[in-house]
Amino acid sequence: MNRLYHSWNMFLIYPALLFDYLDAPRGDELLDILRRRLELSSPGGRWKTEGFYKHSWWNRLIEAEAELLLMRRECSQSLKEKRSWNLQLLELESSQGHFVAKAYPRRINIEITDQCNLHCPMCTQGYEDLPGANLNISEVIGSIEKFNPYLELVELIGLGEPLTSPDFIEWIMEWPRYESQTFSTTTNGLLLDPKITEIILASRLNQIRFSVDAVTPESYRLLRGSDGFEGLMQNLKYFMTRKRQSGKQMEVWIRMVATRANVHELPEFVRLGYELGVDLVEVMHLFAYSPDMWKRSLIFDRPLWNQVYDEAADVAERLNVRYRFPKKFDLSKPPLADSFTQICREPWEYLFVSSEAKVRACCINLSPMGDLHQDKMEAILNNDHYQQFRKQLYQPDRQYRCQYCYLNFLYADVNNVHSHLIDVRPHYREVGEEDRLHLPEKPVIEEYINACLKGESIPWN
């Protein structure tokens, strides 16, 4: 009731808004009217002049728009409309620096376990002490019940292998998946025996991603530290056969982390996707955390990636295989090493829940915003810690993990060295957990960054 009074009070202050609101036949027309009145500038929603921004009445107009979006979200009848209004509210809050978020997140990653049946050299599992925790669905579901309908993507993913969790079956069978919500998990597939295959195909999952990375046993052994390639291929073929026979509506992806050691296999990896009949072949660049991995990054061989990209894309087009590859490098200029300056939307639209029930603002940020054992998610989303974290994104001296966030770099500019070569020590140092790591201090990452910027060649094997 207070919110309704506050919203209509805005109309009393700005009566023209009320007429626009009543006359607008559709929500998008209403927002166009409001944005024209508010004169928001286009790039990033920033203000045209700093002085203009400081006027209190200007801020009140922005609040009026937020209240209108909130009213539309809560008064809409269909889930599709509610999500649409929530998305527009989210975009407004994240672009204009509303540190108290009224919009609900769109995506959530839930780390149901931190244990894994592999110790891949390219994963932090190989050099980090983990608590050995498993997250039960009862620890999460009650806390996010209110905004679960607004989640477009729910992923069971983290540092661990989901199929090793003793609660995996309960998670995939009991999760209350809403209309048009993607409920996904990512697995290495080695534990995908016929029994678990049938359970997955009978579950509420509607997407599964297999981390494969190779098309030969030799490459798989190098990248995954395992001799399980042949078994994995048998598991995938059986799974895809049973999926077709069952008629299960589920997207299946296979994923490759591209390095200098396996990138030459990418065209064959696309053919593997075609033979299996998967829905998407996805490729990611290596996020290199250690000296052994730094030198395997394709940032040191940018022409090779561009060449293989063209070859693999050609195969995908000819076979009609849907694919998602990172952008090609811009070879007309050297790599960059700048810090990230754009505003990140993750603390508004994304959540990460660790296997210890700790809530984080993103998958890179190690500092917990709250604990689901102590508070409900709704309280955590706008507690002091969360608000301060959002606020610091607008400061020039942002936290190290935000200034050098490799995920944001990768999506903003694949040519930035920090998209590929990562020193995780400062990330852990900021939260006082550097002693969890087992990484050599030398050679330091700066040597690799400087070599990359100078165009020096570093052998990877």
Side-chain angles (χ1 to χ4, degrees):
M1 191 68 187
N2 289 337
R3 178 175 295 147
L4 186 63
Y5 171 79
H6 176 68
S7 301
W8 287 107
N9 191 40
M10 284 294 178
F11 293 134
L12 294 176
I13 299 171
Y14 310 108
L17 293 179
L18 177 58
F19 293 108
D20 290 336
Y21 178 80
L22 294 176
D23 290 341
R26 297 196 313 273
D28 54 350
E29 291 184 12
L30 168 66
L31 292 180
D32 286 342
I33 293 167
L34 285 170
R35 288 190 174 111
R36 283 198 299 273
R37 287 185 176 276
L38 299 176
E39 296 182 349
L40 289 175
S41 61
S42 53
R46 305 304 298 164
W47 307 106
K48 291 182 178 179
T49 65
E50 181 67 21
F52 204 53
Y53 171 67
K54 290 180 179 178
H55 285 295
S56 60
W57 58 266
W58 182 265
N59 293 329
R60 292 170 74 183
L61 282 172
I62 292 296
E63 290 296 331
E65 182 179 5
E67 287 296 327
L68 286 172
L69 291 169
L70 189 59
M71 287 176 59
R72 280 294 180 95
R73 184 187 76 185
E74 297 187 355
C75 294
S76 295
Q77 297 300 311
S78 73
L79 180 56
K80 183 178 180 181
E81 289 178 346
K82 286 179 176 291
R83 283 183 177 175
S84 176
W85 291 115
N86 185 70
L87 175 59
Q88 293 176 69
L89 178 59
L90 190 152
E91 290 174 344
L92 177 72
E93 290 182 336
S94 61
S95 65
Q96 304 308 323
H98 285 201
F99 308 131
V100 178
K102 297 175 183 177
Y104 294 131
R106 300 173 58 199
R107 300 176 290 118
I108 188 171
N109 277 19
I110 305 174
E111 182 185 62
I112 64 176
T113 183
D114 63 6
Q115 298 303 290
C116 190
N117 55 329
L118 292 178
H119 294 282
C120 305
M122 56 189 172
C123 179
T124 57
Q125 280 271 359
Y127 59 80
E128 182 180 0
D129 290 332
L130 296 169
N134 295 295
L135 186 66
N136 189 272
I137 191 171
S138 62
E139 299 177 86
V140 177
I141 194 63
S143 293
I144 68 168
E145 184 177 5
K146 186 173 182 178
F147 61 83
N148 184 27
Y150 296 90
L151 291 171
E152 300 168 23
L153 176 62
V154 178
E155 289 189 272
L156 305 182
I157 188 175
L159 283 179
E161 162 57 43
L163 271 64
T164 66
S165 167
D167 302 310
F168 175 72
I169 294 175
E170 184 180 7
W171 273 101
I172 65 174
M173 300 300 286
E174 300 299 329
W175 180 264
R177 179 168 64 85
Y178 279 81
E179 173 191 349
S180 68
Q181 182 182 81
T182 299
F183 183 33
S184 174
T185 192
T186 299
T187 172
N188 58 43
L190 294 178
L191 301 177
L192 195 70
D193 59 27
K195 180 180 178 180
I196 196 65
T197 290
E198 300 303 324
I199 292 173
I200 289 174
L201 293 176
S203 75
R204 297 182 178 181
L205 287 171
N206 56 7
Q207 185 184 87
I208 189 166
R209 309 177 187 185
F210 293 104
S211 297
V212 179
D213 294 326
V215 295
T216 65
E218 294 75 23
S219 293
Y220 191 82
R221 187 181 307 112
L222 178 65
L223 293 159
R224 290 282 178 172
S226 166
D227 291 320
F229 180 78
E230 298 295 345
L232 172 60
M233 291 299 104
Q234 292 178 10
N235 293 348
L236 292 180
K237 291 174 183 176
Y238 180 82
F239 182 88
M240 294 305 297
T241 298
R242 288 296 300 125
K243 174 182 173 293
R244 286 189 290 271
Q245 292 171 347
S246 68
K248 171 74 171 180
Q249 297 299 306
M250 172 184 282
E251 272 206 348
V252 180
W253 300 10
I254 58 170
R255 174 180 287 172
M256 169 188 277
V257 175
T259 75
R260 297 167 77 186
N262 69 334
V263 70
H264 63 282
E265 295 183 351
L266 182 53
E268 287 301 318
F269 194 74
V270 172
R271 291 189 181 93
L272 173 64
Y274 172 76
E275 293 168 2
L276 290 172
V278 302
D279 298 285
L280 182 75
V281 174
E282 184 184 38
V283 178
M284 301 172 62
H285 277 304
L286 171 69
F287 298 138
Y289 302 104
S290 66
D292 286 342
M293 291 294 105
W294 291 336
K295 59 189 178 183
R296 293 186 185 180
S297 170
L298 283 162
I299 193 69
F300 287 109
D301 206 338
R302 298 187 300 157
L304 176 61
W305 166 249
N306 288 7
Q307 174 189 338
V308 174
Y309 179 107
D310 289 336
E311 295 172 2
D314 180 64
V315 173
E317 297 291 345
R318 286 190 284 107
L319 296 178
N320 195 28
V321 173
R322 183 169 154 237
Y323 65 95
R324 182 182 297 167
F325 299 165
K327 295 178 181 178
K328 293 198 291 186
F329 292 107
D330 184 353
L331 302 181
S332 67
K333 59 184 181 182
L336 307 172
D338 301 329
S339 61
F340 188 75
T341 58
Q342 299 180 32
I343 300 301
C344 175
R345 290 173 46 172
E346 294 294 81
W348 284 267
E349 72 169 50
Y350 170 85
L351 288 169
F352 182 91
V353 182
S354 76
S355 58
E356 298 176 277
K358 300 288 176 45
V359 178
R360 300 176 188 167
C362 71
C363 62
I364 307 302
N365 168 39
L366 298 174
S367 178
M369 302 291 119
D371 190 330
L372 291 180
H373 291 148
Q374 301 173 9
D375 295 297
K376 285 206 167 186
M377 187 72 81
E378 195 169 8
I380 293 172
L381 282 174
N382 283 310
N383 63 20
D384 291 341
H385 197 176
Y386 229 124
Q387 290 185 47
Q388 288 301 314
F389 186 79
R390 294 185 184 113
K391 187 175 182 179
Q392 63 91 25
L393 292 173
Y394 286 79
Q395 308 302 320
D397 56 342
R398 289 185 290 176
Q399 297 175 0
Y400 180 92
R401 58 182 171 269
C402 295
Q403 291 187 47
Y404 296 96
C405 173
Y406 45 91
L407 281 180
N408 270 325
F409 275 126
L410 187 62
Y411 295 124
D413 190 352
V414 72
N415 294 285
N416 197 302
V417 175
H418 297 296
S419 301
H420 307 270
L421 311 183
I422 299 125
D423 186 357
V424 296
R425 279 185 291 264
H427 294 248
Y428 287 80
R429 192 177 300 126
E430 281 188 340
V431 294
E433 297 184 1
E434 191 178 13
D435 57 348
R436 285 170 52 184
L437 298 173
H438 304 286
L439 283 173
E441 290 293 335
K442 296 291 183 179
V444 294
I445 194 170
E446 283 76 13
E447 296 176 12
Y448 286 84
I449 291 177
N450 291 334
C452 183
L453 296 178
K454 294 175 182 177
E456 297 177 0
S457 176
I458 295 180
W460 67 265
N461 52 6

